[in-house]
Amino acid sequence: MKNNVMVTSPLLPPLESFIPYMEKIWESKKLTNGGPFHSQLEDALAAYLGVEYLSLFANGSMALMTAIQALRITGEVITTPYSFVATSHSLLWNNIKPVFVDVDPLTCNIDPAKIEAAITPATTAIMPVHCYGIPCDVDSIQRIADNYGLRVIYDAAHAFAVRNNGESILNHGDLSVLSFHATKVFNTFEGGAIICPNDKIKKRIDYLKNFGFIDELTVVAPGINGKMNEMQAAFGLLQLQYIDEAIGKRKAIYERYRHVLSGIKGLSFINYAESLNWNYAYCPIFIDERYFPLKRDELHHQLKKQEVFARRYFYPLISEFPMYKGLPSTASYNLPNALHVSSQVLCLPLYPDLRDDEFERIVNIIIRISQLKAL
Ligand SMILES: *Cc1c(COP(=O)(O)O)cnc(C)c1O
């Protein structure tokens, strides 16, 4: 039995259940370019997620870059530094200047109260992230976007299946982008999708992801190859059968973490509304070194020494990477909350197949360390 525990582990249905899908692909000889599994998965996901239109992609980054192209975004885009680096890389790849705005320390999402001050004549859009799958303040963001005529593209890579008051969180803004990377709640090995509100924009997205072809001979835009293939789509269809059970298991493990660890001084969990149908994509905890015996990095190291691979999502901030460092909005006085949560956060292992004995081992390490001062 392997002893090390990673922060996540992919949802893999039984291998033999995938074989009939592979046989169908071999029979049809249709490997990609919008085959039968591709269209089935688009329909099945739209229905499951409660969204109108969805376009599948080879990965989430390609979906983000295409979403920006589809809305013809240029100039400056307001975004968060507290995310995976792909969020603002998608802007740089489109020759757009990211403008970083600080986060709300309770939710780790972009703070709408700080957006207006970052708007300039060059601003064309806002790209917030539903960090950890916890919804942004979508109403405030939309109000600002409407007031200033800005577009909103949500990086919803963490927000698969999240609902607020019964309504999909993916129906906000102009577009939302999902990632189906192996580390995410729902995966197609690699994959992603753009959620869009109407057929017209879906058509544009679909030709952009296929080199700009609208028919056999006509190319109307400098598109890219962002297509999801049939193997990925088939795996997605299979996995969709297991997703509710998987999220249920995530929830149970998350709640056990919270039950067992929430009394510890200097260790806190993220805030979210009771009305939220969350997907339990991550288990971030925040270590306040004034009250906890070890600094976050020391706790991370101690866990690692005992082969528990927790991850510091999101540290460093995107704004600290060299290709962003020179931008005025990356100054530390502009991002105090993001810097603060980034220095405290640690994501604990959380995935459907996390075993009881592994869970016990992880929490026991943390509990033992939390008692160090008392000794
Ligand atoms: C995973 C992730 C992405 C990138 O998705 P890929 O499918 O890996 O390209 C983008 N943004 C965020 C916030 C992510 O977590």
Side-chain angles (χ1 to χ4, degrees):
M1 212 187 309
K2 240 175 60 191
N3 233 357
N4 55 20
V5 192
M6 306 307 290
V7 73
T8 186
S9 165
L11 178 55
L12 285 170
L15 181 56
E16 60 278 9
S17 62
F18 193 50
I19 291 170
Y21 288 89
M22 285 201 284
E23 286 171 350
K24 279 216 173 104
I25 294 171
W26 259 248
E27 269 165 35
S28 76
K29 297 191 166 54
K30 184 112 191 171
L31 307 186
T32 185
N33 282 44
F37 286 135
H38 181 278
S39 32
Q40 275 180 49
L41 183 61
E42 284 197 346
D43 293 346
L45 279 176
Y48 176 80
L49 297 170
V51 302
E52 205 64 41
Y53 293 94
L54 179 149
S55 292
L56 294 171
F57 274 81
N59 60 64
S61 298
M62 196 66 87
L64 273 175
M65 292 191 288
T66 306
I68 294 164
Q69 292 269 333
L71 299 181
R72 299 180 174 88
I73 304 295
T74 57
E76 296 180 3
V77 171
I78 290 170
T79 188
T80 169
Y82 191 80
S83 178
F84 182 60
V85 72
T87 307
S88 37
H89 275 5
S90 71
L91 298 169
L92 284 195
W93 270 72
N94 277 300
N95 256 319
I96 291 164
K97 179 176 164 189
V99 175
F100 296 104
V101 162
D102 205 8
V103 299
D104 175 335
L106 293 181
T107 62
C108 298
N109 286 327
I110 195 164
D111 183 349
K114 296 185 176 148
I115 291 177
E116 278 191 84
I119 295 173
T120 76
T123 310
T124 57
I126 309 170
M127 186 182 274
V129 179
H130 301 299
C131 195
Y132 308 128
I134 305 231
C136 293
D137 180 349
V138 290
D139 294 336
S140 301
I141 291 169
Q142 195 58 53
R143 216 171 303 126
I144 297 163
D146 290 344
N147 280 345
Y148 290 86
L150 306 177
R151 301 290 211 150
V152 182
I153 299 175
Y154 281 102
D155 180 340
H158 302 171
F160 187 86
V162 175
R163 284 169 183 263
N164 209 358
N165 295 312
E167 170 70 22
S168 173
I169 194 66
L170 304 171
N171 286 327
H172 294 279
D174 293 281
L175 299 173
S176 290
V177 175
L178 290 167
S179 165
F180 307 146
H181 183 255
T183 53
K184 304 299 206 276
V185 169
F186 172 87
N187 88 81
T188 54
F189 287 53
E190 296 267 5
I194 301 179
I195 315 298
C196 59
N198 60 56
D199 185 50
K200 186 159 170 255
I201 180 85
K202 175 167 164 58
K203 283 212 175 81
R204 177 165 167 75
I205 290 164
D206 285 346
Y207 69 65
L208 283 174
K209 79 174 182 189
N210 187 30
F211 310 100
F213 278 103
I214 53 165
D215 61 35
E216 205 181 312
L217 299 176
T218 321
V219 175
V220 297
I224 191 100
N225 180 0
K227 303 186 301 293
M228 175 181 277
N229 69 48
E230 284 292 278
M231 277 294 239
Q232 291 170 288
F235 186 76
L237 280 167
L238 175 62
Q239 194 173 178
L240 204 51
Q241 299 170 20
Y242 295 84
I243 194 68
D244 286 333
E245 183 191 337
I247 292 173
K249 287 181 178 170
R250 284 178 173 277
K251 177 173 199 250
I253 297 165
Y254 184 87
E255 283 176 354
R256 265 181 89 192
Y257 271 128
R258 212 164 55 165
H259 179 73
V260 178
L261 300 178
S262 64
I264 294 176
K265 256 192 114 172
L267 185 160
S268 58
F269 285 78
I270 196 141
N271 270 44
Y272 60 93
E274 286 297 321
S275 60
L276 186 66
N277 267 327
W278 191 23
N279 60 6
Y280 304 86
Y282 297 87
C283 181
I285 59 168
F286 302 88
I287 300 299
D288 186 339
E289 65 184 68
R290 289 172 304 172
Y291 307 107
F292 195 82
L294 297 186
K295 293 190 166 110
R296 185 275 312 272
D297 286 344
E298 294 166 343
L299 175 61
H300 174 251
H301 182 68
Q302 287 302 319
L303 286 164
K304 199 174 187 170
K305 267 187 19 197
Q306 299 179 63
E307 298 184 318
V308 174
F309 296 96
R311 294 292 300 267
R312 287 164 286 186
Y313 295 146
F314 287 99
Y315 169 85
L317 295 177
I318 297 176
S319 48
E320 293 175 272
F321 291 121
M323 62 296 297
Y324 300 100
K325 203 87 190 109
L327 297 170
S329 64
T330 64
S332 55
Y333 63 79
N334 190 45
L335 308 168
N337 296 333
L339 281 162
H340 184 67
V341 289
S342 174
S343 75
Q344 292 200 331
V345 73
L346 192 62
C347 284
L348 299 179
L350 177 61
Y351 48 91
D353 300 328
L354 185 70
R355 294 195 317 261
D356 275 359
D357 62 312
E358 291 170 330
F359 177 88
E360 291 298 332
R361 202 160 70 76
I362 297 161
V363 295
N364 284 337
I365 296 169
I366 298 170
I367 290 169
R368 224 178 314 122
I369 289 171
S370 76
Q371 291 165 343
L372 280 178
K373 238 175 201 167
L375 294 180

